[in-house]
Amino acid sequence: MNDVARTAGVSLKTVSRVVNGETTVAPDLAARVQAAVETLDYRRHLGASLLRRNDRRTRTIGVLLEDVSNPFSAALHRAVADEAGMRGVQVLAGSLDEDPGRERELAAAFAQRQTDGMILAPTGSSQSYLSGFRGPIVFVDRRATGALGDTVVSTNVAGAAGAVRHLLTHGHRHIAYLGNLRRLTTARERHRGYLRALGGRAGPAVHDLLDSVAAERATVALLRGSDPPTAIFAAQNLITIGVVRALRRLGRERTVALVGFDDFPLADLLDPPVTVVAQDPARMGRTAALTLFERIDGDKRPPREIRIPTTLIPRGSGEIAI
Amino acid sequence: MNDVARTAGVSLKTVSRVVNGETTVAPDLAARVQAAVETLDYRRHLGASLLRRNDRRTRTIGVLLEDVSNPFSAALHRAVADEAGMRGVQVLAGSLDEDPGRERELAAAFAQRQTDGMILAPTGSSQSYLSGFRGPIVFVDRRATGALGDTVVSTNVAGAAGAVRHLLTHGHRHIAYLGNLRRLTTARERHRGYLRALGGRAGPAVHDLLDSVAAERATVALLRGSDPPTAIFAAQNLITIGVVRALRRLGRERTVALVGFDDFPLADLLDPPVTVVAQDPARMGRTAALTLFERIDGDKRPPREIRIPTTLIPRGSGEIAI
DNA sequence: ATGAAAGCGCTAACAT
DNA sequence: ATGTTAGCGCTTTCAT
């Protein structure tokens, strides 16, 4: 910046003014500065600029999701990035892989980089470590424990209950539940919806499935067991895919009904097409980003919880009658 | 940091030493500083630290891909993030959506944030705008024009030629090509492989398909045309999916052969399962990241081009005989 | 081993 | 409208 000032024959502050688009600069001076900037290929050092600025904003936010390569997280991430891009804000992203340690580490790493705020899908059982962090935090997909912030979640209980009622409608009375880690609020809520729809007549439940391979194995075990279910409710997209693989392997895809929670690409092209309770990850991401930017802009209202509705999409696998 | 120094009763510099883990501090002083750090919940301001440091590293890199929610880009992004995470490096990511303007803007935004380097899948027809950027750049998936840097690409020509030869083996002589934007080096190379395998007997080619809907429409038009192909080579994952949808719609999925370039989740569960030339996006991402970190660490050798092999995976759709 | 002073690149506050 | 000075939070350099 010094070089530019010298080249243009003006003071350092004038260069600063031009670079920041302030209008109180004579046109001819501004032009000279612009010329010098281009000659020297000068680019402002954002870090230095932010250090002195009053608002202290880095125009960077952090997004911590389960796995940016899972279609749900990827769509959510994409929506956040788009909303941020419109505001000239950059996005740091991280995948937690259900590891509470990574959650804390990455959150700390983002905080050290002075992100203006964070969007977090918590995986640990407590987020109290966030107290004392600088910017606002919006929790997405999962509720937080021991930390304050806005929350954007799907209507998990209602969605799961709707899925199970859909199976009941088609005559099923022996419906299994396959879900992921019970410490996650989503898993617990979807299980609660499952129990609510079934009243006292809940079927077998398998929890803590970490990936589609585990889900496939669990499904095979259930169906080969002494009291096989006639229908399955799969509480997460990878689990649904594991169940589909298992049913195929056993040749039972046309006799055992299946409804999955969370839609996934090509679900409609499988045979039979997979009935799902679709979430709206793009809307969740957009909503979380909008909420975060409102907070960053000074919104002081008490934390809100925003519930994004789910949609049952009947495609075939969930309409298999008993 | 001043507060910490006062609370611990030491000088500012001593705090700096402790925070940076320098060993030249008496144990009792270090302990006092640590205590003060915890009491005051002090966190070092990385931006300020970097401003004065000699190496000028932000420990942040940028990754610009076509669309972080496409499975190919998502897997690549994930691999880069993992490799970066192991080094305590954070990753800024952006989606270009085949928009050269966004490519330039996002690259500039990253540069302003002093990323130590960038990984870029170019979409514009020239990357000369990169000259004068601070850190090293590694091009991934696509070659750059007018800019220097290491390049990590799939063996596009060989992979595409292999796919088409596979169709020839099954008796097809009238094979269509469906590809995306011709300005992309990947699209051109895959088309070249297609032409090479067919010698003078190339079939109809449809270029510049931007998404699966466009591919679906193009496939329907081809098959309803006067001289319908007996087999299709789809040069990208979204295009392959569009072709699958079209074949289903026309009830031709068991009579028209299909080989796609780039694998996608659930390709093996479709009916018929889709034969593909699989790329290895995770390996591409890992390789690009490793190469970038070598450059950041001072590797001065001339730019290299690393070619990641592809694998033909016969699953059914490509083995439909004429 | 510890500290004082200078300065990284920039903008705020205050001149002029 | 333009320039001058101080200082953001930290690390360097150099002294002790």
Side-chain angles (χ1 to χ4, degrees), chain A residues 207-262:
Chain A
H207 296 281
D208 303 323
L209 299 167
L210 274 170
D211 53 33
S212 73
V213 175
E216 183 174 348
R217 247 195 305 261
T219 306
V220 170
L222 272 179
L223 291 176
R224 283 192 178 147
S226 56
D227 188 19
T230 65
I232 295 175
F233 170 58
Q236 191 246 18
N237 62 7
L238 295 181
I239 295 177
T240 306
I241 289 168
V243 173
V244 169
R245 289 194 187 281
L247 294 178
R248 280 289 180 94
R249 184 138 68 89
L250 301 174
R252 300 295 303 278
E253 73 270 23
R254 304 193 164 284
T255 50
V256 175
L258 167 64
V259 179
F261 200 106
D262 193 27

Side-chain angles (χ1 to χ4, degrees), chain B residues 141-142 156 160 177-194 207-208 233 235-236 239:
Chain B
D141 183 38
R142 303 165 181 178
N156 288 303
Y177 169 93
L178 270 70
N180 52 355
L181 293 175
R182 254 171 307 184
R183 72 159 187 267
L184 306 176
T185 59
T186 45
R188 287 204 302 269
E189 289 171 12
R190 291 168 198 174
H191 188 230
R192 201 178 328 138
Y194 162 86
H207 295 281
D208 302 324
F233 170 59
Q236 189 246 20
I239 295 176

Side-chain angles (χ1 to χ4, degrees), chain A residues 2-85:
Chain A
N2 248 318
D3 299 345
V4 176
R6 225 183 357 261
T7 312
V10 297
S11 84
L12 209 154
K13 177 68 222 191
T14 303
V15 178
S16 168
R17 283 200 246 270
V18 172
V19 167
N20 287 290
E22 292 177 37
T23 48
T24 60
V25 180
D28 57 321
L29 277 196
R32 253 158 58 203
V33 171
Q34 273 301 354
V37 162
E38 311 220 334
T39 318
L40 301 177
D41 199 28
Y42 165 80
R43 268 183 275 274
R44 169 172 100 209
H45 190 298
L46 203 70
S49 154
L50 292 162
L51 190 56
R52 190 57 172 97
R53 272 192 138 74
N54 278 338
D55 66 1
R56 253 63 190 60
R57 300 224 187 131
T58 56
R59 304 199 73 72
T60 304
I61 62 171
V63 184
L64 291 172
L65 302 172
E66 198 245 312
D67 171 10
V68 293
S69 69
N70 178 296
F72 174 83
S73 300
L76 207 156
H77 175 212
R78 180 64 212 259
V80 170
D82 286 348
E83 210 56 57

Side-chain angles (χ1 to χ4, degrees), chain B residues 167 171-178 194 198 201-206 218-233 243 247 250 252 255-258 320-322:
Chain B
L167 291 167
H172 297 279
R173 293 296 174 267
H174 196 43
I175 303 171
Y177 169 93
L178 270 70
Y194 162 86
L198 288 177
R201 293 192 275 166
V206 186
T219 306
V220 170
L222 271 179
L223 291 177
R224 284 194 178 144
S226 56
D227 189 18
T230 66
I232 295 174
F233 170 59
V243 173
L247 295 177
L250 300 174
R252 301 293 304 277
T255 50
V256 176
L258 167 65
I320 295 170
I322 195 161

Side-chain angles (χ1 to χ4, degrees), chain B residues 127-198:
Chain B
Q127 281 64 52
S128 55
Y129 67 90
L130 289 170
S131 72
F133 273 39
R134 211 177 47 98
I137 298 184
V138 175
F139 301 102
V140 67
D141 183 38
R142 303 165 181 178
R143 281 169 232 279
T145 308
L148 282 183
D150 300 299
T151 304
V152 178
V153 285
S154 287
T155 53
N156 288 303
V157 178
V164 174
R165 274 198 304 271
H166 187 71
L167 291 167
L168 286 170
T169 304
H170 289 84
H172 297 279
R173 293 296 174 267
H174 196 43
I175 303 171
Y177 169 93
L178 270 70
N180 52 355
L181 293 175
R182 254 171 307 184
R183 72 159 187 267
L184 306 176
T185 59
T186 45
R188 287 204 302 269
E189 289 171 12
R190 291 168 198 174
H191 188 230
R192 201 178 328 138
Y194 162 86
L195 292 177
R196 180 168 305 173
L198 288 177

Side-chain angles (χ1 to χ4, degrees), chain B residues 64-172:
Chain B
L64 290 173
L65 302 172
E66 197 246 314
D67 170 12
V68 292
S69 69
N70 179 298
F72 174 82
S73 301
L76 207 155
H77 174 211
R78 180 62 213 260
V80 171
D82 285 348
E83 212 54 58
M86 295 173 65
R87 292 166 173 75
V89 169
Q90 297 305 317
V91 179
L92 287 168
S95 297
L96 304 179
D97 291 330
E98 310 299 15
D99 178 346
R102 283 175 63 78
E103 179 183 335
R104 280 193 307 277
E105 285 164 25
L106 280 171
F110 287 2
Q112 251 208 159
R113 282 172 173 71
Q114 333 294 130
T115 51
D116 295 334
M118 275 171 52
I119 292 176
L120 170 61
T123 185
S125 40
S126 164
Q127 281 64 52
S128 55
Y129 67 90
L130 289 170
S131 72
F133 273 39
R134 211 177 47 98
I137 298 184
V138 175
F139 301 102
V140 67
D141 183 38
R142 303 165 181 178
R143 281 169 232 279
T145 308
L148 282 183
D150 300 299
T151 304
V152 178
V153 285
S154 287
T155 53
N156 288 303
V157 178
V164 174
R165 274 198 304 271
H166 187 71
L167 291 167
L168 286 170
T169 304
H170 289 84
H172 297 279

